[in-house]
Amino acid sequence: MRHGNLFVISGPSGAGKGTLVARLLREVPDAWVSRSVTTRKPREGEVDGVHYRFASPEEFQELVDEDGLLEWATYGGNCYGTPRATVEEHIACGDQVILEIDVQGGFQVRDKFPS
């Protein structure tokens, strides 16, 4: 089994992160993209666990307090973050884990996973 790795695709909004991630998913069979957890309400057509993991502000704060997020930030009054446990599980299973996050989130991940 191939060793799992963590890849951070980071940049400002509109930089093309999503385009790059879509191509990676087509070309890397064991790639897995982390789903963010957010406190915002689902938009029409969004499914919990598919597009995001939707959480209450209290649930999100518990994740922050327990160091359950690799990175997190607040945008437009809503919180967004990357769940640590699922990322670590996929790496342990040999998946090539991709985080599609903003620049500040990339710095937070680098602090927690310097390698």
Side-chain angles (χ1 to χ4, degrees):
M1 174 170 44
R2 193 160 119 182
H3 182 271
N5 294 289
L6 177 62
F7 298 92
V8 175
I9 308 299
S10 181
S13 179
K17 298 182 299 284
T19 301
L20 178 59
V21 169
R23 180 155 184 192
L24 284 169
L25 289 174
R26 286 192 306 271
E27 297 191 19
V28 180
D30 59 348
W32 176 80
V33 178
S34 176
R35 298 291 177 255
S36 296
V37 59
T38 182
T39 59
R40 77 165 171 76
K41 301 294 181 205
R43 295 181 183 133
E44 187 174 330
E46 288 183 327
V47 177
D48 186 36
V50 174
H51 300 97
Y52 286 93
R53 178 178 152 219
F54 296 99
S56 70
E58 295 79 17
E59 291 169 324
F60 193 94
Q61 188 59 52
E62 283 180 34
L63 287 169
V64 171
D65 293 345
E66 296 168 358
D67 198 28
L69 298 172
L70 293 178
E71 58 85 27
W72 69 276
T74 301
Y75 299 102
N78 295 303
C79 298
Y80 298 82
T82 301
R84 176 189 287 271
T86 54
V87 167
E88 290 177 342
E89 289 167 11
H90 280 270
I91 291 170
C93 289
D95 292 333
Q96 306 310 304
V97 175
I98 301 169
L99 305 184
E100 181 184 345
I101 56 179
D102 72 5
V103 175
Q104 295 305 317
F107 287 126
Q108 290 178 50
V109 172
R110 184 181 64 190
D111 289 343
K112 292 183 180 178
F113 281 89
S115 62

